[in-house]
Amino acid sequence: SQRILDNYKAWYACQRASPLVCPNQALATELGILRTHRDLEGKDVNALSYDRAIAIIKAFPRELTPENIDKELVQLPHVGEKIQSKIREFIRSGVIEEAQYLRRDERFQSLKAFTTIHGVGASTARTLYSIGLRTLEDMERYYDVPVDDYGNPKLEEEEPIFTPNGRRVPRTAKLPDLSIKTALALRHELAVPIPRDEVEEMHAIVMAELDQLQPGCISTIVGGHRRGKPESNDVDIVIGHSDIQNGGELIKGLCKRLVHRLYERGLVTHVTHLSGFHAHNALRTTHWDSLEKALCVFVLPEDGQQKRLHRRLDLIFAAPEAYWTAVVGWTGSKMFERDLRLWAKKEKGMKFDSSGMTRRHDSQLYFPRSEKQVFDLLGLEWIDPTLRNV
Ligand code: TTP
Ligand code: MN
Ligand code: MN
């Protein structure tokens, strides 16, 4: 609604409409370089300031120009003097000099490349740099990743067995872990963005397998796909059960069973994280695992001659009372989620996360029946998933 669009100066990102591409996109991208730099160097407070300022730019409804900048900028929350001057520099000259410098800086380039590997955070990246590594090829040698005849990294995996009907079946019964070494070996494939139709194809195959184990399951594709991104870096699926009364019992343990089934089918090749149910706990203040989750590597069955790429797949199983909070919690973006939790806590005396919603003073657990109801219970105006691209 127009009211949401007019809300661009609101304090919390979850009150503002943030489209996928905003009128000041080039500015947001340039500020993003500075944000990434602060993040890579461990300056978390600084990085968060940039996150908040970029979030404001992403919701700003008009193009900023040399003519309107003075008037517009002073009215915006979360944009301190330092970042204001960076914004002015960009509006005046079309670039931010520091960002231009960083793009060519060896240390920045190295740290950024290292963190593209699943499981490598900023602090690991800094350690790798400090012991002399500079490129991903250095990192491959350091982690002893095997290479093929062309020098390209390859998977150190046992040859799969092919059954008479042509299905790939892994030889061992144990699910391999997605280690840094494996992530390096797969890095070229995992870096290829996933188009929307392939996301939907993966979803359909996963749900068909799940139906064989437990009929009646429901699901929502979440993450960037749900926010309208034309291409995603992984596939995120929230899974629940249509039986409100018994659904929790029916899907308990199902996450593990599904992943093992997908593994036996040759559809899942690696897993990074497999967790069971914990109850939503109103007393815990930090975000923690409270649903059944599996973060995996998935590969579609070969389609004629077409070789299919390894893809990251996140599966989140939620009991009926947590289904819609899980959908909201995993739709993102990360900044939208951060401010949702903050809004719930500071403004509503509630604890919100993917695993549920509770009133703080008496720990009463809510049971939202739709995504809209999650917003209603939090006292927030509805924001379409495609406008949560903070
Ligand atoms: P991601 O899949 O990491 O990001 P994305 O889907 O927005 O974009 P893309 O995959 O294309 O890069 O996370 C999806 C949402 O899930 C994110 O907004 C926050 C949530 N999330 C958690 O709640 N816990 C987690 O451990 C992770 C990794 C994500
Ligand atoms: Mn995602
Ligand atoms: Mn994900």
Side-chain angles (χ1 to χ4, degrees):
S1 71
Q2 189 57 40
R3 211 163 63 212
I4 277 291
L5 294 174
D6 289 340
N7 225 7
Y8 63 93
K9 290 176 200 161
W11 186 259
Y12 296 92
C14 55
Q15 299 170 284
R16 310 188 289 256
S18 313
L20 196 55
V21 178
C22 68
N24 297 286
Q25 192 59 42
L27 168 61
T29 304
E30 194 84 340
L31 290 171
I33 301 268
L34 303 185
R35 190 215 80 90
T36 301
H37 172 253
R38 311 307 188 252
D39 187 41
L40 290 171
E41 296 298 352
K43 296 174 180 161
D44 297 353
V45 175
N46 238 310
L48 187 58
S49 302
Y50 273 95
D51 271 331
R52 297 209 177 287
I54 293 166
I56 284 288
I57 298 298
K58 291 228 60 172
F60 195 76
R62 295 176 289 279
E63 198 186 339
L64 290 164
T65 64
E67 289 70 43
N68 68 16
I69 184 88
D70 288 320
K71 186 173 131 280
E72 303 280 21
L73 218 46
V74 289
Q75 302 185 47
L76 300 176
H78 304 300
V79 188
E81 258 174 57
K82 238 198 210 119
I83 300 181
Q84 272 196 34
S85 78
K86 300 283 185 195
I87 294 176
R88 280 178 212 281
E89 181 189 348
F90 183 88
I91 298 304
R92 192 174 358 99
S93 69
V95 291
I96 298 175
E97 201 188 322
E98 189 194 351
Q100 296 295 97
Y101 163 80
L102 284 171
R103 280 195 178 86
R104 295 183 306 260
D105 183 58
E106 188 196 47
R107 180 176 164 92
F108 178 75
Q109 282 175 8
S110 298
L111 297 180
K112 195 160 180 270
F114 297 158
T115 56
T116 61
I117 304 304
H118 189 89
V120 178
S123 103
T124 305
R126 292 197 299 275
T127 304
L128 295 172
Y129 190 89
S130 75
I131 58 175
L133 309 194
R134 292 295 176 268
T135 65
L136 288 171
E137 289 71 28
D138 292 345
M139 211 176 142
E140 277 163 23
R141 282 185 288 273
Y142 181 75
Y143 280 93
D144 211 13
V145 176
V147 292
D148 65 15
D149 300 341
Y150 306 97
N152 297 317
K154 67 170 186 190
L155 258 190
E156 194 179 37
E157 73 177 348
E158 291 180 83
E159 280 301 299
I161 300 166
F162 288 88
T163 60
N165 58 11
R167 252 193 340 237
R168 278 164 42 109
V169 179
R171 200 181 288 271
T172 54
K174 197 181 167 301
L175 263 162
D177 199 46
L178 178 61
S179 58
I180 290 182
K181 184 172 174 174
T182 308
L184 270 170
L186 289 174
R187 71 182 167 96
H188 296 294
E189 292 191 28
L190 295 180
V192 180
I194 316 172
R196 293 188 72 84
D197 56 349
E198 194 177 329
V199 172
E200 279 145 34
E201 193 183 351
M202 281 171 62
H203 171 246
I205 287 179
V206 169
M207 292 313 289
E209 292 293 335
L210 179 61
D211 198 54
Q212 303 287 311
L213 290 179
Q214 175 63 62
C217 287
I218 55 171
S219 65
T220 307
I221 305 176
V222 288
H225 180 84
R226 188 150 184 266
R227 300 197 311 274
K229 281 172 72 170
E231 296 179 320
S232 303
N233 293 309
D234 71 354
V235 177
D236 308 287
I237 306 173
V238 169
I239 297 169
H241 199 280
S242 53
D243 184 337
I244 298 288
Q245 254 68 49
N246 310 306
E249 279 305 310
L250 289 173
I251 68 166
K252 199 166 271 171
L254 198 53
C255 183
K256 213 168 183 168
R257 286 175 60 211
L258 175 63
V259 170
H260 275 91
R261 184 185 172 93
L262 295 172
Y263 178 60
E264 283 162 12
R265 292 274 186 276
L267 292 166
V268 157
T269 61
H270 300 82
V271 175
T272 57
H273 178 100
L274 200 52
S275 72
F277 269 119
H278 305 270
H280 177 81
N281 183 341
L283 300 174
R284 290 287 289 256
T285 47
T286 51
H287 189 65
W288 62 314
D289 297 345
S290 39
L291 312 153
E292 284 189 6
K293 272 195 316 196
L295 315 185
C296 341
V297 178
F298 183 93
V299 62
L300 281 169
E302 263 160 53
D303 173 21
Q305 299 302 13
Q306 191 191 352
K307 189 181 178 309
R308 312 302 291 256
L309 300 174
H310 286 82
R311 305 299 204 179
R312 283 266 303 101
L313 168 70
D314 291 343
L315 301 173
I316 303 94
F317 281 75
E321 59 275 19
Y323 186 78
W324 291 109
T325 51
V327 167
V328 172
W330 278 79
T331 294
S333 64
K334 291 200 173 90
M335 194 63 202
F336 191 89
E337 300 301 327
R338 198 203 316 247
D339 272 10
L340 259 186
R341 293 195 292 271
L342 204 62
W343 163 272
K345 182 180 169 185
K346 301 268 184 208
E347 306 295 331
K348 298 288 155 182
M350 283 159 71
K351 176 174 161 54
F352 171 88
D353 66 30
S354 300
S355 64
M357 235 166 113
T358 40
R359 203 156 61 193
R360 277 181 181 272
H361 72 90
D362 62 357
S363 300
Q364 190 202 301
L365 184 69
Y366 292 92
F367 184 171
R369 305 294 168 128
S370 67
E371 186 176 30
K372 173 75 165 63
Q373 233 182 45
V374 173
F375 279 75
D376 289 345
L377 287 167
L378 285 170
L380 282 169
E381 281 199 51
W382 170 252
I383 295 187
D384 190 78
T386 58
L387 294 174
R388 298 181 205 164
N389 288 290
V390 189

